[in-house]
Amino acid sequence: METVTALLSWALILAGTPSQCHFLQNPVLRQAPGRAGDGVPGPVVPGHSFRKVTLTKPTFCHFCSDFIWGLAGFLCDVCNFMSHEKCLRHVKTPCAGVAPSLVRVPVAHCFGPRGLYKRKFCAVCRKSLEAPAFRCEVCELHIHADCVPFACSDCRQCHQDGHHDHDTYHHHWREGNLPLGARCEICRKTCGSADVLAGVRCEWCGVQAHALCSAVLAPECTFGRLRSMVLPPGCVRLVSRNLSKMHCFRIAETAAPELGDGADGAAGSTALGPGRDAPAAPESSKQTLKIFDGNDTMRRNHFRLVTVPRLARSEEVLEAALRAYYVSEDPEDFELQELTLPSLASDAQAPGKAGNGGLAEEDSNRGSGAHEPEAWVIRARTRTQEVLKIYPGWLKVGVAYVSIRVTSQSTVRTVVLEVLPLLGRQAEGPESFKLVEVLMGSRQVQRNVLADDESLLRRLWDIRQTSLRQASQTRFYVTENRTVNPRISLFVGGLPPGLCPQEYDSLLQEAMATKAAAVSMSHVYPQGAVVLDVTCFAEAERLYMLGRDTAVHGQPLTTLVLPDVLHTKLPADCCPILVFVNPKSGGLKGRDLLCSFRKLLNPHQVFDLTNGGPLPGFHLFSQVPCFRVLVCGGDGTVGWVLTALEETRHHLACQEPSVAILPLGTGNDLGRVLRWGAGYSGEDPFSMLVSVDEADAVLMDRWTILLDAHKAAGTENSVVDAEPPKIVQMSNYCGIGIDAELSLDFHQAREEEPGKFTSRFHNKGVYVRVGLQKISHSRGLHKEIRLQVEQREVELPSIEGLIFINIPSWGSGADLWGSDSDSRFEKPRMDDGLLEVVGVTGVVHMGQVQGGLRSGIRIAQGSYFRVTLLKATPVQVDGEPWVQAPGHMIISAAGPKVHMLRKAKQKPRKAAAIRGDAVPTPEGNTK
């Protein structure tokens, strides 16, 4: 019978039943008020414990988000779901007490640092996030710190992990916290709410709907408007058994919350009860109790508080304690045991010895003013048999789980023997399968293979004694007992550049003691990075953790876990976008963009440039036949990525990917020329990605600058240390003299106090202040440099700065060349293979140019330049300044032109309406 129930529940999954997480099985259903008669099943609610309550303040329904008129509503005692009486029969959202059992495939969350999230609600207790809380960096989950241990491990599946293979992708529904203007995909009415946790949103395609309306949608997800830009999760493979999702998604580690056992643990020692309502000083008729859920919380002194009437029956106190830990099982299977101060101070005690017995023994003293115990622990009663759910480790069997009755004689082997016929595998021997215990922690999913002779009844008892929460989040999977040959790709950066593979191998063996039997070097990048193929989980984890604390020649190493992109499985119309974000650019707005792009796209295609630079991203996409690049940062960041692209081009299957820009810096001249704007000011990241998808491809010249810092002719005969020659790439402009000096002073000020440079307005103010300090500066640059254009010596006028420009924007949008026609020169273009050379006479002249009052002094135009520096001079290339020693600078055209993306001009809405054009909506539909 229970197998039939499982089959029916699986049919509900395929029908697309809406939920807070992916449905896997039929939840524990409790009868809602108003059951229909005549043998027809009435409305049932998934796991909630509703009771009628009197409302004392304005309250909204969590199902329809409408105001509850009158004085009565229905409240779930476990998860605080509030509902109209008329809405009860339609509620599909499962209670937080049963939600973990409904997760289809457990995937851990990636919680970032605590932050204040206005008008957001906790996914567990449904209360508003008034205090600093956590947010998953990959999905839309928001949660209180003390609710983290009770969250579902239902984050997005972003890759294959070797255990599951999906033919189709289903919607990944996340409840609540929608934008206020969100409209339902079905009824087109508002489905967002600022008052309650209501409405659902698919974390892949972005479809938003009411909980009831979402049942009408097809269960398959098509990835929405961004489907051609998303790296499909089925095309990404990563076996990450030992490494957390934070490592796999390259998310920087942050201070973890005070958690207890396992991957999550119970809440801290000041944890509150459900809903985070701190118990006030109890009335004389009430009392507050500390509740522990097992040995682990006792040892850590991590408890939850419940407030109950002093005259409450023992059953009522037990139910309140179970609700505090979101335990939805029958209270008859549990009891409360008293804890004394000595037992709290010591480690967890053996079962049955933590107090004076069950709460029933104290029940007679409740009303007589007897001394109340300081704390209680919930204990499971001894059971002679249990019904255990066994899940198949493969998802194409057709059933969600099978139920097996286990006794004291049941071992892992006997259970596997009993399960195989129920799964249609009776022809195979039990030695081909194993039983895996899975703890579905919200921060890490842990797997443990059980021994064949282990008693399952005793195993369940031990888990419950350790933690009831762990017991509710533990599953048992039967899987094929096949040898797994792992292969983890580990990117190691920060090594000395220009070495041969043998030298890199020796360096890594010396610094990290790599094991030759398990580690091989698959790729070597001359920029100082290698990719290691590791065939041992333990060795991969060791190298990853060790690399974070290792330095080679004084340079700290960077270690990143990279997945494999199965490029042969990519759809024909898929052109995924590779996103690079510099979180330090543009007033530190990059961190929010990192989180936004990880949610909108596959987090594997989003890279933090401060964590390894652009090389890991280009390596990951090296076999992708067609892809685009989005760079979020200033002009210097764009130049950094373009340089890395030029250096790795010969390794790429797509050697000429188009590059778009989301400007985050202060100047952003290239972003202005390509119509991406003067700087990011909080635009919708979804709209930005749509604009990238609709952008036009244009060509842009790239220039190579050879810096040869030898003693130049005509200088003094003093002895100096000559710098080795180096090559830099240029896209926008190269400045020598006063403008580079201003940029250098600004750069040094930002390095000294980076915390003050958090806004574009402040940054420009610093530029102005630095410029005013040099307004009377007179250096006579024309006397200190020599210029040759196409092998022809050019006489310089009296100037303080010499600038080579490739694009028609300089100094935050100024037109340095000017618009006047000149018969001596051709009209400048960014793809004409020519550079324009312009001079400025000082800070005042630069200010006049930026104010549009003047233009620069036109000096030359050409494709090959040789500059001789007679003394140390400030130089800047695309906003990156330094002091260049005396010597030569040779500027010439680089290799092939770069394919850039220019934002398409927006069509006026009225004109589009007149022509009858469809206007795209955020959900990817038209209206």
Side-chain angles (χ1 to χ4, degrees), residues 605-887:
Q605 64 190 108
V606 181
F607 285 79
D608 181 350
L609 284 173
T610 61
N611 191 15
L615 280 180
F618 287 126
H619 174 79
L620 180 65
F621 273 57
S622 60
Q623 299 302 315
V624 177
C626 177
F627 69 93
R628 289 166 287 186
V629 178
L630 174 61
V631 183
C632 306
D635 288 337
T637 301
V638 176
W640 182 16
V641 173
L642 292 179
T643 299
L645 173 60
E646 183 65 30
E647 293 173 343
T648 59
R649 188 187 301 272
H650 60 284
H651 290 295
L652 303 178
C654 177
Q655 295 190 357
E656 297 181 348
S658 300
V659 181
I661 300 172
L662 197 163
L664 295 181
T666 303
N668 303 318
D669 290 287
L670 185 55
R672 296 169 193 264
V673 171
L674 297 175
R675 300 183 188 146
W676 296 109
Y680 177 72
S681 56
E683 293 85 358
D684 180 20
F686 177 88
S687 300
M688 291 294 302
L689 291 175
V690 172
S691 297
V692 172
D693 194 36
E694 299 173 348
D696 304 318
V698 297
L699 295 176
M700 184 183 72
D701 295 327
R702 287 274 289 167
W703 298 85
T704 298
I705 303 177
L706 173 62
L707 302 167
D708 191 1
H710 291 297
K711 244 342 175 181
T715 57
E716 300 177 2
N717 293 325
S718 58
V719 178
V720 295
D721 294 330
E723 299 178 1
K726 66 177 181 178
I727 295 177
V728 296
Q729 302 288 329
M730 183 193 82
S731 301
N732 302 350
Y733 43 74
C734 170
I736 304 174
I738 184 63
D739 70 316
E741 191 172 345
L742 295 181
S743 181
L744 182 62
D745 289 348
F746 171 83
H747 178 76
Q748 292 173 343
R750 182 168 58 180
E751 290 294 317
E752 291 175 0
E753 297 179 290
K756 293 185 177 181
F757 292 78
T758 56
S759 72
R760 194 175 294 112
F761 180 79
H762 175 269
N763 294 354
K764 290 186 176 181
V766 174
Y767 262 119
V768 172
R769 186 177 73 246
V770 172
L772 292 176
Q773 294 173 351
K774 298 182 180 297
I775 199 168
S776 60
H777 174 87
S778 178
R779 178 167 182 158
L781 182 70
H782 59 288
K783 301 177 182 179
E784 301 173 356
I785 65 175
R786 300 286 184 266
L787 174 64
Q788 290 181 7
V789 181
E790 311 288 359
Q791 308 299 331
R792 178 176 57 88
E793 189 79 21
V794 175
E795 184 177 354
L796 296 176
S798 178
I799 56 175
E800 295 296 328
L802 187 68
I803 304 166
F804 300 81
I805 54 177
N806 183 48
I807 61 175
S809 179
W810 167 86
S812 300
D815 186 2
L816 188 59
W817 182 261
S819 58
D820 296 338
S821 60
D822 192 329
S823 59
R824 298 176 300 167
F825 307 107
E826 297 181 16
K827 184 178 180 180
R829 296 199 327 267
M830 59 190 297
D831 63 343
D832 58 2
L834 299 175
L835 279 181
E836 289 69 47
V837 186
V838 184
V840 293
T841 60
V843 173
V844 174
H845 188 185
M846 292 170 60
Q848 292 172 334
V849 171
Q850 291 182 331
L853 302 178
R854 292 179 61 184
S855 58
I857 302 173
R858 297 179 181 177
I859 295 176
Q861 191 178 48
S863 60
Y864 179 85
F865 307 88
R866 183 184 184 93
V867 180
T868 302
L869 304 180
L870 303 181
K871 59 185 301 186
T873 307
V875 174
Q876 69 140 331
V877 174
D878 292 346
E880 301 299 318
W882 70 91
V883 176
Q884 180 63 27

Side-chain angles (χ1 to χ4, degrees), residues 251-317:
I251 298 175
E253 295 280 2
T254 55
E258 293 181 1
L259 299 176
D261 57 284
D264 301 300
S269 58
T270 57
L272 310 178
R276 293 181 54 86
D277 292 331
E283 305 171 6
S284 58
S285 61
K286 294 187 177 182
Q287 61 178 340
T288 298
L289 303 176
K290 293 180 180 179
I291 303 296
F292 298 85
D293 82 324
N295 296 341
D296 190 80
T297 51
M298 291 164 53
R299 178 173 56 85
R300 299 173 184 271
N301 196 27
H302 289 172
F303 55 84
R304 292 178 77 82
L305 300 176
V306 297
T307 300
V308 295
R310 291 188 180 276
L311 298 179
R313 294 180 294 108
S314 59
E315 294 82 1
E316 296 173 343
V317 179

Side-chain angles (χ1 to χ4, degrees), residues 430-434 479-483:
E431 64 277 357
S432 301
F433 298 88
K434 60 186 176 183
T479 64
E480 292 181 89
N481 192 15
R482 56 187 177 187
T483 303

Side-chain angles (χ1 to χ4, degrees), residues 303-359:
F303 55 84
R304 292 178 77 82
L305 300 176
V306 297
T307 300
V308 295
R310 291 188 180 276
L311 298 179
R313 294 180 294 108
S314 59
E315 294 82 1
E316 296 173 343
V317 179
L318 177 59
E319 289 180 0
L322 292 174
R323 288 196 299 268
Y325 282 95
Y326 297 92
V327 176
S328 59
E329 299 179 53
D330 190 350
E332 294 293 332
D333 295 330
F334 302 93
E335 65 180 359
L336 283 177
Q337 295 179 350
E338 179 184 352
L339 290 178
T340 58
L341 286 174
S343 64
L344 282 176
S346 62
D347 288 338
Q349 298 185 15
K353 297 183 180 180
N356 300 323
L359 187 62

